[in-house]
């Protein structure tokens, strides 16, 4: 055997056993390195998601079940709804502190905040940027409240204590005029946007330019933060954000066409680019004569089949609600598909965020149904997402 | 300078590969499972015990690697005056590589399954038993590696020879 080894060593042109040993070590090290790198690479991409995914799945397990919705629908008054939510730890802390709808929005904002904090670095930016949604909502609420002459306390009930401006909310609410609000926002991203749109608002008395310019800023920049997919996770996030932007654009165009508005009326409020619906296509859609023209113009995109199906409803009722519902369902389907396809990455986070949005929407539908319209449980149930 | 025989040196490499790679896989797997468990405990303190169980599962690969490494050393390097042939040294490398690489893959796979199971259990506590079963499945590759390493040592003349 020793002779065989010696023959092998000599055959390999090696001068001694030590040289052979060194060769064995090097070969093993190379094989080991290749095995380790090829095995570890996919695992490392999952690693940053293990902690956030466990947290998200824990919260997913606490989302409302059908049984809970049924119990809630049996409530006779909003006070009963409140008591029910008081029994759920996630809602309890807000229910006692704020009015019902503000409590629900605060819970949703807290969820966004959590996702932004725990998301891995390469997918963090879009979620952090999404927190601006609450700033924008708060600015809109404060301006509307100011114009409607609401008291500070009433205005406070409309704002959600989350977002970059959460520390500034009291100052903004204390402002005496829209101009003072604008002054208080100096140094933030929102000041230049409002500087352009507030004069239009003052001139026309219509708040739409202010709201639309803020929404446009949010969506355009949101798409930009997710615009350079580096891996599967960022690509899926881009797809989800892209669908959100496209659907917001489509809804706005459909609403405008249903109201008989022309290209020039809506062009300033549109997000300039989209995901499937790029700039040139948006212009085409905006130039459509009517709602059916918009639906036909979307031929070839993912949105066409669901909108074509809803066209009959629109023709019968004249309401674009069917389109909006179909588009919202499409976003949910995209989120759930991503959640299933990308189980060890960003997928479950997107899926959960969408389900949480739907839960809050449903709770608001139930509350409004009970409070304003005194609708029966079965009617409200049909309205749920 | 101490003279080390070629066979002894090869056996040492075998022992190193056994615990080194198995430990690497086990460590990565356990890290993944632990990260998931920490996330679960952050949301639900009652998950601590179950998180520990899932996190402990990918430990076994390191134990197999450790056992094989110890056996290799006990029957070669640690026997005073024993001359280990180069052939036996190569058998030791084979045994070490068997458990080392099997443990690497098995440990990482088990860690991913454990982390996912922790997520399932925190979402639905009834998933515990099924989570344990799924997490235990990637153990088999480590057991194959361990068995082959033992067989190589027995029939290669390292154990009982």
């Amino acid at each position: 055997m020793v002779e065989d080894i010696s023959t092998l060593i000599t055959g390999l042109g090696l001068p001694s056993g030590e040289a052979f040993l060194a060769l064995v070590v090097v070969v093993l090290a190379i094989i080991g390195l290749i095995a380790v790198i090829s095995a570890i690479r996919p695992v490392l991409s999952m690693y940053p998601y293990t902690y956030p995914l466990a947290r998200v799945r824990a919260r997913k397990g606490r989302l409302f079940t059908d049984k809970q919705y049924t119990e809630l629908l049996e409530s006779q008054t909003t006070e009963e709804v409140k008591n029910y939510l008081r029994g759920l730890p996630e809602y309890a802390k807000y229910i006692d502190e704020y009015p019902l709808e503000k409590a629900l929005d605060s819970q949703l904002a807290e969820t966004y905040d959590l996702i932004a904090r725990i998301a891995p670095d390469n997918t963090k930016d879009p979620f952090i940027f999404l927190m601006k949604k609450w700033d924008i909502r708060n600015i809109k609420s404060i301006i509307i409240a100011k114009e409607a002459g609401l008291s500070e306390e009433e205005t406070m009930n409309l704002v959600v204590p989350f977002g970059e401006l959460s520390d500034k909310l009291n100052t903004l609410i204390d402002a005496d005029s829209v101009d003072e609000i604008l002054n208080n926002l100096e140094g933030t991203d929102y000041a230049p946007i409002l500087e352009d749109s507030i004069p239009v608002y003052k001139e026309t008395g219509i708040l739409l330019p202010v709201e639309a310019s803020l929404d446009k800023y949010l969506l355009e920049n949101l798409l930009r933060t997710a615009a350079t997919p580096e891996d599967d996770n960022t690509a899926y996030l881009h797809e989800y954000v892209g669908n959100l932007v496209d659907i917001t654009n489509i809804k706005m165009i459909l609403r405008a066409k249903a109201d008989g508005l022309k290209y020039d009326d809506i062009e300033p409020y549109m997000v300039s680019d989209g995901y499937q619906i790029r700039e040139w296509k948006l212009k085409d859609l905006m130039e459509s004569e009517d709602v059916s023209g918009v639906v036909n113009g979307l031929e070839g995109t993912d949105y066409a089949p669901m909108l074509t199906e809803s066209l009959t409803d629109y023709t019968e009722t004249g309401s674009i609600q069917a389109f909006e519902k179909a588009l919202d369902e499409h976003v949910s389907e995209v989120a759930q598909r991503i959640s299933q396809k990308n189980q060890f990455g960003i997928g479950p986070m997107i899926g959960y965020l969408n389900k949480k949005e739907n839960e809050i929407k449903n709770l608001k539908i139930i509350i409004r149904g009970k409070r304003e319209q005194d609708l029966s449980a079965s009617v409200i149930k049909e309205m749920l997402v | 300078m101490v003279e080390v025989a070629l066979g002894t040196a090869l056996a040492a490499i075998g022992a190193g590969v056994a615990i080194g790679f198995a430990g690497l896989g086990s460590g990565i797997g356990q890290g993944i499972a632990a990260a998931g468990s920490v996330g679960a405990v952050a949301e639900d303190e009652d998950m601590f015990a179950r998180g520990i169980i899932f996190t402990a599962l990918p430990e076994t690969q390191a134990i197999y690697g450790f056992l094989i490494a110890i056996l290799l050393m006990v029957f070669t390097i640690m026997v005073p005056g024993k001359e280990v042939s180069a052939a036996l040294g190569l058998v030791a490398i084979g045994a070490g590589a068997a458990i080392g690489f099997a443990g690497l893959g098995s440990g990482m796979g088990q860690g991913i399954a454990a982390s996912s199971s922790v997520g399932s259990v925190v979402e639905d506590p009834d998933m515990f038993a099924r989570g344990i079963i799924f997490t235990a499945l990637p153990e088999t590759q480590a057991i194959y590696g361990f068995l082959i390493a033992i067989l190589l040592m027995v029939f290669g003349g390292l154990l009982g020879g």
Side-chain angles (χ1 to χ4, degrees):
Chain A
M1 184 70 189
V2 176
E3 283 165 13
D4 291 342
I5 299 280
S6 303
T7 316
L8 178 70
I9 292 168
T10 320
L12 288 170
L14 297 168
S16 64
E18 282 72 18
F20 173 70
L21 181 60
L23 184 69
V24 170
V25 171
V26 169
V27 169
L28 267 180
I30 292 170
I31 293 171
L33 201 66
I34 293 168
V36 168
I37 290 171
S38 56
I40 281 180
R41 276 180 72 185
V43 176
L44 284 184
S45 67
M46 294 173 197
Y47 196 81
Y49 287 91
T50 49
Y51 173 80
L53 287 192
R55 294 201 66 174
V56 160
R57 293 185 72 174
R59 289 184 174 233
K60 197 173 159 218
R62 296 201 287 265
L63 286 170
F64 266 67
T65 59
D66 286 346
K67 185 171 167 264
Q68 283 176 302
Y69 277 126
T70 308
E71 286 168 359
L72 205 55
L73 283 166
E74 282 163 10
S75 309
Q76 297 302 313
T77 61
T78 50
E79 202 50 44
E80 282 182 37
V81 174
K82 234 178 174 181
N83 286 336
Y84 190 92
L85 294 175
R86 220 171 252 132
L88 305 170
E90 287 182 357
Y91 290 100
K93 59 181 169 183
Y94 296 115
I95 292 291
D96 288 331
E97 208 176 335
Y98 303 131
L100 205 43
E101 297 212 0
K102 178 174 175 174
L104 295 179
D105 285 330
S106 298
Q107 218 299 307
L108 182 59
E110 188 204 273
T111 304
Y112 272 90
D113 187 51
L114 173 86
I115 301 285
R117 280 187 285 112
I118 64 175
D121 286 345
N122 68 336
T123 48
K124 213 177 188 63
D125 287 350
F127 290 117
I128 289 175
F129 197 84
L130 262 174
M131 286 306 290
K132 285 180 185 280
K133 175 179 171 169
W134 303 102
D135 287 338
I136 285 171
R137 195 201 124 118
N138 286 338
I139 294 171
K140 285 182 192 173
S141 299
I142 294 169
I143 293 176
I144 291 168
K146 204 56 61 190
E147 290 308 296
L150 298 184
S151 68
E152 284 180 18
E153 197 185 335
E154 286 169 322
T155 312
M156 192 52 103
N157 286 340
L158 298 174
V159 298
V160 177
F162 282 89
E164 286 173 14
L165 299 178
S166 57
D167 296 338
K168 274 191 165 184
L169 286 177
N170 283 326
T171 325
L172 293 172
I173 291 169
D174 286 347
D176 291 325
S177 63
V178 174
D179 284 329
E180 205 178 320
I181 294 173
L182 188 56
N183 286 340
N184 287 330
L185 286 171
E186 209 57 58
T188 68
D189 291 351
Y190 312 109
I193 304 161
L194 292 172
E195 271 164 16
D196 291 338
S197 56
I198 281 185
V200 183
Y201 159 66
K202 280 181 169 173
E203 200 180 300
T204 59
I206 302 167
L207 204 62
L208 182 68
V210 177
E211 294 186 307
S213 59
L214 287 168
D215 289 339
K216 188 176 171 175
Y217 161 79
L218 178 77
L219 291 171
E220 278 185 350
N221 287 286
L222 183 60
L223 196 59
R224 223 164 276 154
T225 57
T228 44
E230 297 159 4
D231 55 18
D232 277 358
N233 294 307
T234 42
Y236 281 124
L237 189 57
H238 180 61
E239 182 186 347
Y240 180 65
V241 168
N243 270 281
L244 286 179
V245 172
D246 277 354
I247 276 166
T248 309
N249 273 336
I250 296 172
K251 279 182 182 176
M252 198 181 278
I253 296 173
L254 287 171
R255 226 174 282 154
K257 291 299 157 191
D259 292 343
L261 298 178
K262 300 285 177 209
Y263 176 91
D264 292 339
D265 302 324
I266 50 173
E267 194 272 335
Y269 311 127
M270 298 299 302
V271 178
S272 56
D273 206 354
Y275 176 64
Q276 284 188 51
I277 308 169
R278 307 313 299 258
E279 199 178 352
W280 63 271
K281 188 75 182 169
L282 278 171
K283 279 184 184 158
D284 273 3
L285 294 175
M286 283 189 276
E287 282 167 355
S288 304
E289 282 301 311
D290 51 21
V291 169
S292 58
V294 176
V295 174
N296 293 333
L298 285 166
E299 203 60 53
T301 67
D302 288 351
Y303 316 110
M306 72 201 77
L307 292 176
T308 309
E309 272 177 35
S310 308
L311 198 56
T312 326
D313 269 352
Y314 170 75
T315 319
E316 283 169 10
T317 62
S319 161
I320 61 159
Q321 216 173 354
F323 291 128
E324 293 184 329
K325 196 174 178 199
L327 290 167
D328 287 339
E329 278 169 10
H330 173 73
V331 173
S332 294
E333 277 165 22
V334 169
Q336 295 324 309
R337 179 172 49 76
I338 291 173
S339 179
Q340 282 160 6
K341 277 175 81 175
N342 185 240
Q343 288 185 25
F344 297 107
I346 195 79
M349 293 165 83
I350 292 173
Y352 169 68
L353 210 51
N354 180 265
K355 277 185 184 286
K356 187 72 194 178
E357 288 255 13
N358 288 343
E359 179 176 288
I360 299 291
K361 269 185 208 164
N362 285 338
L363 291 175
K364 284 184 178 176
I365 290 171
I366 292 171
I367 290 162
R368 282 175 197 156
K370 299 283 170 198
R371 185 171 54 202
E372 291 159 22
Q373 290 148 321
D374 199 23
L375 298 175
S376 70
S378 58
V379 173
I380 300 175
K381 197 170 185 179
E382 275 178 30
M383 293 162 72
L384 299 184
V385 181
Chain B
M1 193 177 160
V2 181
E3 282 285 318
V4 178
L6 178 63
T8 308
L10 291 176
I13 292 173
V17 167
I19 183 59
F21 286 104
L24 178 66
S26 173
I28 292 173
Q30 211 158 42
I32 293 171
S37 297
V38 169
V41 175
E43 289 295 326
D44 180 358
E45 285 179 14
D46 293 343
M47 276 299 296
F48 182 73
R50 281 168 287 179
I52 287 282
I53 292 170
F54 281 110
T55 306
L57 286 176
E59 180 74 30
T60 48
Q61 290 77 9
I63 295 172
Y64 299 152
F66 183 66
L67 268 175
I68 295 296
I70 291 284
L71 286 174
L72 285 173
M73 285 160 63
V74 164
F75 288 94
T76 56
I77 305 160
M78 291 164 79
V79 181
K82 179 173 180 177
E83 272 199 23
V84 181
S85 67
L88 273 185
L90 288 173
V91 171
I93 289 181
I99 184 58
F101 289 112
L104 174 70
S106 168
M108 288 193 299
Q110 200 160 52
I112 296 167
S115 176
S116 200
S117 297
V118 166
S120 302
V121 174
V122 74
E123 189 179 333
D124 175 6
D126 292 342
M127 280 298 294
F128 181 71
R130 279 168 283 179
I132 289 281
I133 293 167
F134 279 115
T135 307
L137 288 179
E139 184 75 20
T140 47
Q141 288 76 14
I143 294 172
Y144 299 153
F146 183 69
L147 274 175
I148 294 300
I150 293 285
L151 289 174
L152 279 171
M153 287 162 70
V154 170
F155 293 101
L158 268 169
L159 280 183

